[in-house]
Amino acid sequence: MSQQGEKPAAHEDDWWRKLYDETAPDTGPSSAPDSLDDRFDSVSDTVSEAVEPEPEPEREPDPLPEVRPDPRTAWDPYREQAPPSEEPERRLEPEREPEPVPVATQAAVPGPRNTVFPAPWEAPAGPPGPRTFAVPKPPEPEPPPAPLTPPAAGPTTAPDPVALHELPPDWAASDAPADGGGGARPLVDHLGDRPPTYDAEPAALPAATSENLDALVPDTVLDGARYGTYTLRAASVRGDSARFRGEPRRDALLTARFGAAESALVLVAVAGGVRGGEGAHLAAADACRWIGGAVARSHARLSEDIRAGRRADLKSGLHRLTDRTYGKLRARAAELGVEPGEYTTSLRCLLLSADPDCRTRVFFGVGSGGLFRLRDGLWQDLEPVIPEEAASGVSEAGPDGDRLTMDLQITTPPSPYSDGPAPPPAELFRFRASVARPGDTLLLCSNGFAEPMRDEPELPDELAERWGPPGPPGLPAFLADTQLRIKGYADDRTCAAVWEA
């Protein structure tokens, strides 16, 4: 078979000879059936053959135990024996081992199980039901408390809640309750035999447009602070007449602190617009804002002068700052096209040092108003009404010898180089610097509060009782004190009081 001519080996061609041996007889057709049905029957017989399982010998059922524990009792959270926070003790019982099953039976038909476990969604006891999550068992109700011994004969009263809170021994008077430590105080009351004409609460709001929203002022302003040895309370309230007629509050109040630590300076400015002026409340707000800006720019020098007691420097410097403020008011009136007398205001200020060692209180201002001091239960008017003869040069002196700085109102002829009209005479400038004593109360107020303080003895007597010991009232009580109404006095009220520790 090789094409190269070599002689093949005998064992390599043996299989070839057996396959193509011409001498071997032909086998011929087979005698076995070979139809389609025969082949189907053959395949079916082959596939359907299986080992028949041997029948298991019958045996009697085992008797059920009297009490069969739930297989989940080892972890069931609903058991009553174990509290919810503790894991119950695990108790396991031996299970009955099943009899061996032949291998053929295990492969063909699974044997029965001796222990039946409940499905995860079944309840521990009772009929099975769906459950999406475990709900903790509600705690058992606590036993009712033992009945208390009945009290002695008499009316039963509820315990006072105030008695449950003891005040610390270092409780300051300024942290006292709103009533100042006394008994019940009226929120808003009136003095005298007859009540005032108007109601005590606001009735109408001032008219507003889209152009004057920035000129609106609130009905009431309340503020307070504590520095060094004094406590400050300040309030400004719209008068009963303005509340009834829907007019804006003409008075303005400014409380500000400039600087920090002991060199800080506190300014309290009270301004009262002229009655009947259309922009009186705007003029008062401008005066407070401008005098506040002037003091802020010079607060370091002013604080140093107050602590050093340089009265002459303080008087000249504050007089100059006040004149500049009124000069701006006159310029603003010219811009608005109104007379200077229609766009003006009274201005009264207090300068208070934050240094605990400094008790010098400086007052300065222009226009009507009041400055009072409560000492030893009696009110002192530190700013007496200036008579008409004051323009002649006679100066007034206070109880402590402090003199009021007067402007003699000496007018000068207009300059020939000036085209405009002559400016109005300068307002009277008042200045006072006094040393406060422990227990004093200094009151600075606008004309709406100063008039009843001078003309109605009932008001200062009532305030002397309220503002005396044990200390300053809280902000709500102070606001109620400023609204003690008297028939015939319905103007705006603005005041600031300083209590000395």
Side-chain angles (χ1 to χ4, degrees):
M1 294 298 298
S2 175
Q3 296 182 3
Q4 301 297 330
E6 68 272 10
K7 184 179 181 180
H11 67 278
E12 294 179 0
D13 294 339
D14 185 49
W15 63 276
W16 186 266
R17 295 189 186 95
K18 292 180 180 180
L19 182 61
Y20 295 97
D21 188 7
E22 297 178 359
T23 61
D26 191 5
T27 58
S30 176
S31 60
D34 195 17
S35 63
L36 181 60
D37 296 337
D38 297 335
R39 294 193 178 188
F40 177 79
D41 295 339
S42 176
V43 173
S44 300
D45 296 340
T46 304
V47 175
S48 60
E49 290 181 357
V51 179
E52 293 293 338
E54 296 182 3
E56 185 178 358
E58 296 183 0
R59 55 186 179 87
E60 296 180 0
D62 297 335
L64 298 176
E66 295 180 1
V67 179
R68 184 178 182 82
D70 192 352
R72 298 197 309 166
T73 53
W75 53 270
D76 187 9
Y78 303 94
R79 294 182 56 196
E80 299 182 357
Q81 292 81 358
S85 60
E86 298 181 3
E87 184 181 359
E89 196 174 312
R90 188 178 299 273
R91 295 180 298 177
L92 298 177
E93 293 187 4
E95 298 181 357
R96 186 182 182 88
E97 297 182 0
E99 297 181 0
V101 182
V103 179
T105 305
Q106 294 180 1
V109 180
R113 293 183 296 180
N114 296 333
T115 304
V116 180
F117 292 93
W121 57 83
E122 294 181 0
R131 185 183 298 275
T132 56
F133 54 89
V135 179
K137 184 179 180 180
E140 297 181 357
E142 298 181 359
L148 300 177
T149 305
T156 304
T157 57
D160 186 6
V162 181
L164 302 178
H165 303 277
E166 296 281 342
L167 291 176
D170 56 345
W171 178 60
S174 58
D175 295 332
D179 59 355
R185 300 158 62 106
L187 295 180
V188 178
D189 202 353
H190 67 87
L191 302 177
D193 299 335
R194 296 179 299 170
T197 305
Y198 303 102
D199 295 335
E201 302 298 333
L205 292 173
T209 62
S210 58
E211 288 79 13
N212 70 340
L213 292 178
D214 55 344
L216 296 178
V217 293
D219 176 89
T220 303
V221 176
L222 184 63
D223 203 355
R226 183 173 58 189
Y227 289 98
T229 59
Y230 63 86
T231 301
L232 173 65
R233 298 286 184 263
S236 180
V237 183
R238 186 163 55 140
D240 294 342
S241 176
R243 285 177 168 180
F244 178 79
R245 303 176 186 276
E247 299 175 353
R249 176 170 50 89
R250 296 189 305 270
D251 286 0
L253 173 66
L254 173 65
T255 54
R257 173 182 61 88
F258 309 108
E262 297 180 353
S263 61
L265 187 65
V266 177
L267 168 67
V268 181
V270 174
V274 294
R275 183 179 303 177
E278 183 178 356
H281 63 291
L282 300 178
D286 288 342
C288 289
R289 183 170 61 254
W290 288 333
I291 193 64
V295 172
R297 289 185 290 270
S298 306
H299 76 275
R301 177 64 184 273
L302 291 173
S303 177
E304 182 181 351
D305 291 344
I306 292 176
R307 297 166 68 185
R310 305 187 187 102
R311 297 193 179 190
D313 295 343
L314 288 171
K315 181 182 64 175
S316 60
L318 294 175
H319 194 174
R320 183 168 57 253
L321 297 181
T322 305
D323 285 346
R324 291 177 181 175
T325 299
Y326 277 87
K328 291 183 177 181
L329 285 176
R330 290 189 292 268
R332 180 60 176 165
E335 294 178 1
L336 298 176
V338 298
E339 295 295 330
E342 297 179 3
Y343 197 84
T344 187
T345 180
S346 62
L347 180 63
R348 321 184 66 74
C349 303
L350 276 179
L351 289 179
L352 310 172
S353 175
D355 189 356
D357 298 333
C358 178
R359 289 185 178 266
T360 302
R361 311 300 179 225
V362 176
F363 157 77
F364 68 96
V366 169
S368 60
L371 179 66
F372 305 91
R373 179 172 59 196
L374 178 63
R375 174 175 290 179
D376 299 331
L378 299 177
W379 285 101
Q380 301 173 0
D381 192 346
L382 302 185
E383 184 189 11
V385 178
I386 300 175
E388 295 295 336
E389 292 80 6
S392 61
V394 180
S395 61
E396 297 288 342
D400 294 340
D402 293 331
R403 309 185 69 82
L404 301 177
T405 303
M406 297 294 179
D407 190 340
L408 301 182
Q409 294 187 351
I410 300 177
T411 60
T412 56
S415 173
Y417 304 102
S418 176
D419 297 335
E427 293 284 349
L428 294 176
F429 177 78
R430 295 174 173 83
F431 173 85
R432 184 185 186 91
S434 59
V435 178
R437 298 179 185 175
D440 287 354
T441 300
L442 188 64
L443 175 63
L444 174 72
C445 55
S446 62
N447 195 53
F449 200 81
E451 288 183 354
M453 282 289 293
R454 294 191 179 105
D455 301 337
E456 301 293 337
E458 295 180 353
L459 180 60
D461 293 345
E462 181 69 18
L463 293 180
E465 182 179 354
R466 296 190 178 201
W467 291 356
L475 290 180
F478 179 78
L479 179 61
D481 296 342
T482 60
Q483 298 183 85
L484 289 173
R485 304 182 303 144
I486 302 177
K487 187 175 179 60
Y489 300 91
D491 287 343
D492 298 347
R493 289 187 175 186
T494 303
C495 62
V498 180
W499 278 264
E500 300 291 341

